Amino acid sequence: MKTYGAQFRTRFSPNVNTDIELGFKYEKENLKDLTNEWKLVDSAGYSLPHEEFIVPRDAGDLQLMYNIAGKNHIQPTRFSAYAQYSQKFFWGSSKVFLNAGARVAHWSFNNETIFSPRAQFAIKPDWDTDMLFRLSGGVYYQAPFYKEIKDLDGNFNSSIKSQRSIQAILANDYEFYMYDRPFKLTTELYYKKMNDLIPYYMDNVRIRYTGKNNASGYAYGIDTRLFGEFVPGVDSWLSASYARVFENIDDKGNIARPTDQRFRFAMFYQDYMPAFPQMRVNLTLTYAMGLPTGAPVLTDPYQYQKTLPSYKRVDLGLSYAFIDPKEKNTGYGFWGYFDELTLGVQVFNAFNIRNTVANQWITDANTNFMYPVPVRLTGRFFNVKLEFKIK
């Protein structure tokens, strides 16, 4: 797989409140693919799959669970361009920020031309409360590439189309002071209507696309993030989100898409010792509801609608800044060569929680039904980190 290209981008400002951006990109791609993949489960006295249970060591036809074979070589070209206009002005006593633009792209492999307009309107009212409201939307495309165009037979599908999303986002930024320290709260609400989706399987930790635009879907959610100095002089943050993602494959009805996470919470907290301000302690906490388990390759996803266990992790860190980058280094000799010098010790997954990242599917010899066996992530481990910056 090789890609060659050239790109040109420019930006100019007729005045201090106006920006115009233009860009062009040309790519020449050379994609070669040779696939010969098959799966057979064989053990003493039986093999899978089979039409009916075979008495141990009975002779029978050899059947494969699946066979993917293909030989592909394409050399398509891809052209894309974009234009963007940004304007700042006053609406009464309120500040307004307007951004509008469009992208156009053409790919010779599937002879598809896509046009993607989008716009954002932001207003900062002249209030005592420091708030910024943003409304944005547009049509977005995810152009297919090597993984998406390859179907489950191993061939490149020249009739594949880009996945499309029509989306709208309403957001608010709220900056304030609490306990005489700065904070910022960001909230976003979004909705996405998706067409021409390409379904995919989670094959352990590998993504395998079907290579067909045979699904549609939608997504909605809310994201919040609070950022600020919970402890004077050091930054920390809290974030929480709720999101749902559904897809409808071949008009069979809506099911959870593999990215349907639902609820997620994360926190990063820093503190230091007043007597030793160079020494800092940080805590990172993450909780997320389990993603859908997915379905085994070449099976019906509607028969495998369960979720993985929730994801839980706590990381601890301790660092000591011999030379703080926020302060001017006045040291001499060896220490005078550094602008920054920090030594840190980290404990990842401090409580040694064995989180599940995916499933490995095991087939029952009698029923041919597949059962999930969890694939676990790494347990607790330690890391020592030395960061420095030389003058």
Side-chain angles (χ1 to χ4, degrees), residues 36-200:
N36 185 15
E37 180 181 345
W38 50 271
K39 183 176 182 180
L40 169 70
V41 178
D42 187 32
S43 185
Y46 70 87
S47 64
L48 295 177
H50 54 73
E51 295 182 0
E52 58 184 19
F53 186 71
I54 300 174
V55 178
R57 302 194 181 280
D58 255 8
D61 294 334
L62 182 66
Q63 301 180 50
L64 301 177
M65 300 191 75
Y66 65 79
N67 179 30
I68 301 174
K71 184 176 181 181
N72 307 282
H73 183 200
I74 59 174
Q75 294 178 292
T77 58
R78 195 188 299 264
F79 173 81
S80 61
Y82 74 92
Q84 180 173 275
Y85 174 81
S86 300
Q87 180 71 53
K88 294 183 289 184
F89 59 91
F90 280 91
W91 185 7
S93 59
S94 301
K95 295 181 181 179
V96 174
F97 307 88
L98 179 64
N99 182 287
R103 291 179 179 269
V104 62
H106 179 81
W107 198 28
S108 64
F109 173 69
N110 59 357
N111 199 30
E112 180 188 40
T113 301
I114 56 178
F115 177 70
S116 176
R118 69 280 305 269
Q120 176 177 273
F121 175 83
I123 184 169
K124 190 179 183 68
D126 185 19
W127 296 345
D128 293 335
T129 304
D130 189 353
M131 282 195 174
L132 175 70
F133 297 91
R134 290 177 283 121
L135 176 63
S136 60
V139 182
Y140 296 83
Y141 288 90
Q142 181 180 329
F145 197 53
Y146 168 70
K147 285 188 175 182
E148 292 90 345
I149 66 177
K150 186 176 179 180
D151 63 24
L152 295 176
D153 293 324
N155 301 311
F156 287 174
N157 179 12
S158 60
S159 62
I160 199 76
K161 295 191 296 183
S162 298
Q163 301 178 92
R164 186 180 69 173
S165 171
I166 302 173
Q167 58 191 56
I169 302 173
L170 177 63
N172 171 256
D173 296 337
Y174 174 34
E175 297 186 31
F176 60 97
Y177 277 82
M178 185 169 59
Y179 305 114
D180 295 324
R181 297 192 292 272
F183 287 84
K184 182 177 180 179
L185 176 63
T186 300
T187 305
E188 289 189 351
L189 288 164
Y190 61 88
Y191 178 82
K192 301 179 182 181
K193 176 65 176 176
M194 299 175 287
N195 302 99
D196 296 325
L197 291 179
I198 305 173
Y200 61 89

Side-chain angles (χ1 to χ4, degrees), residues 261-387:
Q261 178 115 73
R262 295 167 293 161
F263 178 72
R264 185 179 188 276
F265 173 82
M267 178 184 74
F268 176 72
Y269 178 79
Q270 293 189 95
D271 201 352
Y272 62 88
M273 301 178 184
F276 303 98
Q278 297 90 348
M279 182 172 290
R280 295 185 178 181
V281 179
N282 64 73
L283 167 69
T284 304
L285 184 150
T286 303
Y287 171 82
M289 297 183 71
L291 291 167
T293 57
V297 178
L298 296 174
T299 61
D300 184 1
Y302 287 80
Q303 296 181 3
Y304 297 87
Q305 287 298 297
K306 293 184 178 181
T307 58
L308 298 174
S310 58
Y311 178 91
K312 300 173 285 289
R313 175 167 162 167
V314 177
D315 299 335
L316 301 173
L318 176 66
S319 65
Y320 187 88
F322 295 94
I323 299 175
D324 195 328
K326 296 181 180 179
E327 300 177 2
K328 185 177 180 180
N329 182 16
T330 57
Y332 297 96
F334 174 78
W335 302 107
Y337 290 106
F338 296 93
D339 277 335
E340 176 186 352
L341 182 61
T342 303
L343 177 65
V345 178
Q346 297 167 301
V347 184
F348 295 106
N349 195 6
F351 296 118
N352 199 32
I353 301 171
R354 301 307 301 272
N355 289 299
T356 301
V357 64
N359 283 322
Q360 186 172 2
W361 298 93
I362 304 299
T363 306
D364 184 88
N366 295 318
T367 65
N368 279 343
F369 189 80
M370 295 179 133
Y371 295 92
V373 175
V375 178
R376 306 290 188 182
L377 289 169
T378 306
R380 181 193 303 117
F381 67 97
F382 300 86
N383 182 58
V384 178
K385 180 172 63 175
L386 177 65
E387 294 180 291

Side-chain angles (χ1 to χ4, degrees), residues 246-259:
F246 296 95
E247 65 181 351
N248 185 349
I249 304 174
D250 293 326
D251 293 325
K252 293 181 179 180
N254 291 321
I255 58 173
R257 195 162 168 82
T259 53

Side-chain angles (χ1 to χ4, degrees), residues 192-243:
K192 301 179 182 181
K193 176 65 176 176
M194 299 175 287
N195 302 99
D196 296 325
L197 291 179
I198 305 173
Y200 61 89
Y201 295 96
M202 293 296 299
D203 186 9
N204 199 334
V205 294
R206 177 175 61 167
I207 295 178
R208 187 189 294 276
Y209 288 87
T210 62
K212 298 187 294 182
N213 301 100
N214 62 325
S216 60
Y218 65 94
Y220 62 87
I222 179 172
D223 291 326
T224 60
R225 185 182 181 95
L226 177 62
F227 180 89
E229 296 183 9
F230 293 87
V231 175
V234 290
D235 296 324
S236 302
W237 52 261
L238 297 168
S239 69
S241 63
Y242 180 80

